[in-house]
Amino acid sequence: MDRKKAGVPLVCHGHSRPVVDLFYSPVTPDGCFLISASKDSNPMIRNGDTGDWIGTFEGHKGAVWSCCLDTNALRAASGSADFSAKVWDALTGEEFHSFEHKHIVRACAFSEDTHLLLTGGLEKILRIYDMNRPDAAPREIDKSPGSVRTVAWLHSDQSILSCCTDMGGVRLWDVRSGKIAQTLEIKATVTSAEVSQDGRFGLVKSYNMPCNVESASLEPKYGNKFIAGGEDMWVHVFDFFTGEEITCNKGHHGPVHCVRFAPGGDSYASGSEDGTIRIWQLGPATSDEQESPPNANGKLKVNTVSDAARKIEGFHLPKDGQPEG
């Protein structure tokens, strides 16, 4: 397959330091929204289609490592090096509550029902906060074996996925018992993880990457492409089934720290060390691609960085969370 160059992206300025996390909301009656985390301490929310700036959440005193929006894009959350996770009113920009921690917060995620906020970081503790009782003490899940890098809710908020910065492996936690239900061994540390929008697990492949990859994202509509970004400063588009590179997007002037597909799958965003966000358009799907949906069991994709293998690795779980041979 001939590698193609992408069109000119929408370049979103505003951050004064590296952009380290991106998160798209689902499509809402008002459209979809994109929130970004940066080392400049100021998360920003934008129109997910045009990249137009909507607002900045001001209040953190240190680098912001993680950000997310709830299902309705009414609240935003951010995790920071100032030892706090903050929840914001996404309409007004006002701080709803600040949850104090004892170390850097690297990850945060709203539950699907929007009532809970999950945080993790260098304390090696997963905490669950009740948005209906923000002043109440959080529930603490059993001690994580390493510093938490990324978290996600699964199985209708009955399970939690976590990955660590200082050790390999992906852990699946049972929320009810607060214990690790399954550990999937991966040699390299996992730098980001993303679950398909149907919320179920399925086939995962492994690909040789052209560079050390820091982030990847799967096309949500057909599951036939994925994007990856890393130290070479480019955003690569690959065929999910063959692993062939389809497009190479050049434009960033520093390593790419985060990439995310928009919920409709027609565009994707990248955040870089250069402080910019770029929104790239994906070419229209062919009739063959539209007739080749992803595995019926869904997908879980895990992104890793490995100096030796330079691979994106993963695993396969059925819906009940038990490993498949």
Side-chain angles (χ1 to χ4, degrees):
M1 183 181 296
D2 293 333
R3 189 170 74 177
K4 300 178 181 178
K5 292 184 179 180
V8 177
L10 297 170
V11 182
C12 307
H13 298 281
H15 286 296
S16 59
R17 296 201 63 203
V19 178
V20 293
D21 194 25
L22 293 170
F23 184 94
Y24 276 101
S25 75
V27 177
T28 74
D30 297 316
C32 79
F33 300 90
L34 175 65
I35 187 171
S36 55
S38 169
K39 292 182 181 180
D40 66 8
S41 78
N42 295 315
M44 293 185 180
I45 187 169
R46 301 173 183 275
N47 181 296
D49 296 320
T50 65
D52 290 340
W53 175 86
I54 296 173
T56 300
F57 302 104
E58 298 180 343
H60 279 298
K61 304 300 183 183
V64 175
W65 288 105
S66 179
C67 59
C68 62
L69 293 162
D70 69 10
T71 305
N72 303 311
L74 296 178
R75 284 180 177 169
S78 52
S80 172
D82 65 7
F83 296 12
S84 77
K86 294 183 183 292
V87 176
W88 314 83
D89 185 316
L91 301 180
T92 67
E94 294 180 1
E95 182 180 303
F96 170 73
H97 198 83
S98 182
F99 299 104
E100 300 305 315
H101 293 63
K102 296 179 181 178
H103 214 313
I104 295 170
V105 182
R106 289 297 304 265
C108 60
F110 282 110
S111 59
E112 183 180 348
D113 66 10
T114 74
H115 297 316
L116 304 173
L117 178 70
L118 171 66
T119 68
L122 272 62
E123 278 187 270
K124 305 181 181 180
I125 297 173
L126 294 171
R127 290 186 173 92
I128 299 176
Y129 295 90
D130 188 341
M131 293 295 95
N132 297 317
R133 299 187 302 140
D135 292 320
R139 180 187 173 192
E140 294 188 356
I141 302 296
D142 200 21
K143 188 84 171 178
S144 171
S147 298
V148 179
R149 173 69 179 264
T150 185
V151 295
W153 292 90
L154 311 167
H155 303 145
S156 300
D157 302 332
Q158 298 304 304
S159 302
I160 289 170
L161 177 146
S162 73
C163 309
C164 299
T165 59
D166 46 6
M167 61 190 306
V170 179
R171 286 152 197 89
L172 192 69
W173 302 76
D174 179 78
V175 173
R176 184 168 45 189
S177 67
K179 303 293 183 182
I180 296 175
Q182 184 68 33
T183 299
L184 296 153
E185 299 297 338
I186 296 176
K187 293 179 181 179
T189 57
V190 177
T191 55
S192 70
E194 179 185 273
V195 180
S196 58
Q197 290 188 354
D198 60 17
R200 295 179 294 173
F201 288 113
L203 177 66
V204 174
K205 297 196 174 201
S206 178
Y207 311 92
N208 289 319
M209 293 284 98
C211 70
N212 285 337
V213 170
E214 190 167 344
S215 182
S217 183
L218 183 68
E219 194 279 327
K221 193 171 183 180
Y222 302 112
N224 53 12
K225 298 180 179 71
F226 70 93
I227 53 175
E231 66 178 15
D232 68 356
M233 302 185 288
W234 301 343
V235 181
H236 305 268
V237 183
F238 297 94
D239 183 286
F240 173 80
F241 301 102
T242 67
E244 287 188 74
E245 184 173 354
I246 302 169
T247 305
C248 179
N249 302 294
K250 300 181 180 180
H252 281 298
H253 301 290
V256 176
H257 296 308
C258 45
V259 294
R260 285 291 178 268
F261 260 105
D266 54 350
S267 64
Y268 49 95
S270 56
S272 168
E273 182 75 15
D274 64 16
T276 67
I277 300 164
R278 293 173 188 259
I279 298 178
W280 314 82
Q281 295 299 313
L282 189 68
T286 66
S287 58
D288 288 342
E289 290 174 334
Q290 293 179 9
E291 293 171 0
S292 302
N295 185 293
N297 289 328
K299 294 158 292 300
L300 171 65
K301 176 183 55 8
V302 176
N303 318 318
T304 72
V305 174
S306 169
D307 289 337
R310 293 184 176 179
K311 289 182 177 181
I312 299 175
E313 300 196 35
F315 50 85
H316 186 113
L317 284 179
K319 193 173 182 180
D320 62 9
Q322 295 301 312
E324 204 168 82

